[in-house]
Amino acid sequence: MLYLQIHLTLPAWVAETVDLQRRYVGDEAQVALAIELSRRNVELRSGGPFGAAVFDADGRVIAAGVNRVVPHTCSVAHAEMMAYMTAQQRLQRKRLNEDGGRYTLATSSQPCCQCYGATVWAGVDALLIGARAEDVMTLTEFDEGPLPADWIGELERRGIAVRRDILREQAREVLEVYARSGGAMY
């Protein structure tokens, strides 16, 4: 049988964690939400140790995502990808900022090569990062894949501001908890 539909979901607890009425003002508040999503994903065993959220210019959440690779048997179900896809569906736009609005992706850890590529096309104006790729690869068994040597410069040349090491230690703590749990890919 040829499958004609793909169905990816976020765990129900995500809706309970994200406050759509709140304004998450500033880089730290936005990355803190991404880290909280990653932490809960590990604690509740609903996916890997990664969380992300897309925010509008007022700091309101447009969409959130957590890693769902193993539960969905789908290698593209990374937190950033889930956040991008959900935001695009909610706004009904393939490029989030095609309406002239400004959007930010906050992520608990630096995007891997797949999520980096998606960031180029998703239509965000800023990328906020908690842990670095070297943290992910040192503390877990994840392979983040190759990035251009000047990956930050490449994004910035495309109009995407990059800020990293935001709450880096808190993001690293989630990775460490995941690794201590045996790094099981749930």
Side-chain angles (χ1 to χ4, degrees):
M1 174 162 134
L2 180 63
Y3 278 50
L4 301 176
Q5 184 177 10
I6 299 165
H7 187 77
L8 302 175
T9 61
L10 293 169
W13 62 259
V14 171
E16 300 161 7
T17 303
V18 176
D19 182 352
L20 293 178
Q21 303 308 310
R22 177 179 167 191
R23 290 182 64 225
Y24 294 81
V25 179
D27 296 355
E28 285 193 4
Q30 293 176 6
V31 172
L33 176 61
I35 294 169
E36 176 64 11
L37 291 166
S38 69
R39 184 186 65 75
R40 294 217 48 204
N41 211 33
V42 170
E43 288 175 351
L44 297 172
R45 302 181 65 85
S46 51
F50 305 101
V54 174
F55 297 88
D56 68 13
D58 293 325
R60 293 204 189 325
V61 174
I62 299 299
V66 294
N67 180 284
R68 299 287 286 159
V69 170
V70 171
H72 287 308
T73 318
C74 181
S75 64
V76 300
H78 290 198
E80 298 91 338
M81 301 296 284
M82 297 294 285
Y84 284 147
M85 290 184 290
T86 305
Q88 289 162 341
Q89 290 300 297
R90 181 174 178 197
L91 299 179
Q92 288 296 289
R93 292 194 288 270
K94 63 186 177 304
R95 277 188 73 80
L96 298 173
N97 60 6
E98 70 186 33
D99 70 338
R102 297 193 57 78
Y103 297 91
T104 297
L105 176 77
T107 184
S108 62
S109 297
Q110 179 179 315
C112 68
C113 59
Q114 170 184 257
C115 298
Y116 169 82
T119 298
V120 169
W121 304 117
V124 293
D125 305 282
L127 172 62
L128 309 177
I129 302 167
R132 291 185 177 204
E134 54 262 33
D135 299 330
V136 174
M137 292 187 292
T138 300
L139 297 170
T140 71
E141 295 187 13
F142 290 101
D143 176 0
E144 297 300 275
L147 292 176
D150 184 22
W151 65 271
I152 292 173
E154 291 292 335
L155 291 176
E156 290 179 340
R157 281 187 282 286
R158 293 172 177 272
I160 303 168
V162 177
R163 293 183 289 282
R164 61 184 188 162
D165 297 337
I166 302 164
L167 304 176
R168 183 178 180 188
E169 287 309 310
Q170 291 93 318
R172 285 176 51 89
E173 287 171 15
V174 174
L175 297 169
E176 289 169 346
V177 166
Y178 177 80
R180 280 195 307 270
S181 73
M185 300 289 293
Y186 8 89

